[in-house]
Every structure is written in C-alpha cells, then in structure tokens.
Amino acid sequence: MTTLTCLAEPDHPVTLIRAAGLLTDGSAPVLRAAAGKALADHPDLLLIDVSAVEVRDDGTLAVFPVLARQAAEAEVSVMLVGPSPALTGHLETHAAGRRLPVFATRAEAEAAHDRRPGPRRISADLPGEPAATHLAREFVDRACARWRIRALTDHAALIATELVANAVQHARTAAVISLALRRHHLHLSVRDGSQERPRRSSDGYGMLIIEALSAGWGCVRTTDGKVVWTTLRRPGSR
C-alpha cells in the first residue's frame, strides 16, 4: 500500500470515514481533509474505520490527536473503528490511543457513544404538507422554552419554517426535524427524502434568511435523501 484513500459515508447524525492504505507524513493530510469536511457538517458522531490502514512509523499517528482537537472544537465525538492487531499495538504505545476511543466494530462504538453524556437531542416527524411549517415552529418554540434559550427562539423558529417549507415545496416528502443543544451552539436539521440541494423559495429570500441568521449551514446527502443543517450560536458563546 502506497497511498491513502478516505471515503465518507454520511448518514446523519453519524458519519463514517473508511480509510485505506498506508498512513505516512505525506498521506496524513488526506485523512485530515476528509475528517475536516465531515466535521464541517456537524454530525453527532464521526467514526473513522481504520481496519484497512497500515502504519509503519508511530510518528504518523500524530494525525489522530490533531483530529481529536478539531472534533472538540466542532463539538463532535470522534472514534476509531476496527484497527488491525498491528495498528492496535501502535495505538497502545502512542498518545493517539489515549486521545481517541478505539472500538473493534461500529456497533460497539455507537453503543458507547449512546451511553455518553451528550447533547440534548429531540426530533419530530413532519408530514409533507403545508401544515408542517406550523408544526415545526411549535416544536422549536417548545424546545427553546424547555432548554431556557428563549433568546434563540425567534431565529430558530424562522429558520425551521424556511427549511421545512423548502422540504414541502420541493422534496414533497415527509420530513424529520431535529434539535441538538450543544455547549456553544444550537444545532437544527431537517431531513427529507430528496437528494436535491435546497432551492430558493418563490420569494427568493428563504436561503438568504438562513445564511443571515445562522452561524453556519450545510447540506449532507444520505442514503435515502438529504439533511439540511444549521447552527445558531448560544448567547454568551464565542
């Protein structure tokens, strides 16, 4: 193996990166770039499958603590999955093994993640009809009141309305709205059954509103559609 390839498989709220090849100082940037792109979409959990990764120099494992720091800044959990016995030995003798949790299988990693204290997350199913926008606004209002972040209520409800309206008008499928309260951000996402990226609404202002009110936003294609997400900075957070 002379090169490293990284294939991302997003399935919000979990993203899996399958890495394969030789990890070297020259190929480590490939892994950093793939992880950075995945973190930009703010999944709850980033799994890196290293079952097909070979390491010959322990120094190249320094890429993993770097990824751990990037994930912490993005408020995303990251775990390694499926290392070979040889790679496990390298990790056990290197600081990287202490910075990132390592699990034999994806199922074990996800089970461990579910047991961790994490962001408060709630979701609701929405019909693919105009009434969904009102239901989404009510859902956001209740969540912000429960979590005592009323300062975000108006912006979050407006963003939710725009995202759900887009799903109703263009995806024309049922949708799922989710909120996750993280340390510095409120993460809001809408999942629907179409892989087409969000379009501007008839008035032309919907996506402009989202861009103006959000700290960041993006669109992730999944196996059965897409997830459009936004983050709102919590009051007092930098």
Side-chain angles (χ1 to χ4, degrees):
M1 293 183 289
T2 59
T3 61
L4 186 73
T5 60
C6 294
L7 177 64
E9 298 178 3
D11 191 14
H12 198 81
V14 178
T15 292
L16 174 69
I17 292 178
R18 296 188 187 275
L22 180 63
L23 181 64
T24 66
D25 290 338
S27 64
V30 175
L31 179 56
R32 288 202 302 270
K37 184 176 180 179
L39 291 172
D41 287 326
H42 291 269
D44 281 357
L45 174 62
L46 173 60
L47 299 177
I48 303 177
D49 186 331
V50 292
S51 57
V53 171
E54 180 184 346
V55 171
R56 297 174 185 169
D57 179 358
D58 282 0
T60 61
L61 296 177
V63 66
F64 293 119
V66 172
L67 296 183
R69 289 194 296 272
Q70 292 176 332
E73 291 173 358
E75 299 183 270
V76 175
S77 295
V78 59
M79 300 175 176
L80 302 183
V81 175
S84 65
L87 180 53
T88 298
H90 285 288
L91 290 169
E92 288 176 346
T93 59
H94 192 276
R98 297 188 291 274
R99 293 296 303 274
L100 290 179
V102 181
F103 296 91
T105 66
R106 175 174 180 170
E108 291 179 7
E110 291 185 350
H113 179 259
D114 289 342
R115 293 192 295 270
R116 283 181 166 189
R120 283 175 279 183
R121 170 178 283 275
I122 55 174
S123 300
D125 295 328
L126 301 173
E129 56 189 47
T133 57
H134 177 68
L135 296 174
R137 178 176 286 275
E138 288 188 335
F139 172 78
V140 170
D141 287 347
R142 289 194 301 270
C144 289
R146 182 189 311 169
W147 292 338
R148 299 181 180 179
I149 51 171
R150 293 183 182 276
L152 294 181
T153 301
D154 290 344
H155 286 179
L158 182 54
I159 289 172
T161 300
E162 293 295 338
L163 290 181
V164 172
N166 211 302
V168 170
Q169 293 171 15
H170 302 297
R172 299 184 180 182
T173 68
V176 178
I177 183 171
S178 298
L179 290 174
L181 185 64
R182 296 175 174 172
R183 182 178 179 185
H184 298 295
H185 294 88
L186 176 67
H187 188 271
L188 187 159
S189 65
V190 174
R191 181 171 190 154
D192 62 48
S194 169
Q195 291 195 331
E196 290 189 18
R197 292 184 61 84
R199 306 177 187 176
R200 294 189 183 278
S201 60
S202 57
D203 61 20
Y205 295 112
M207 296 311 299
L208 293 177
I209 290 172
I210 292 170
E211 292 171 359
L213 299 181
S214 303
W217 77 278
C219 179
V220 184
R221 288 186 175 180
T222 65
T223 54
D224 58 354
K226 68 174 178 296
V227 174
V228 184
W229 60 265
T230 67
T231 58
L232 291 86
R233 193 174 302 279
R234 294 178 61 177
S237 297
R238 296 181 178 180

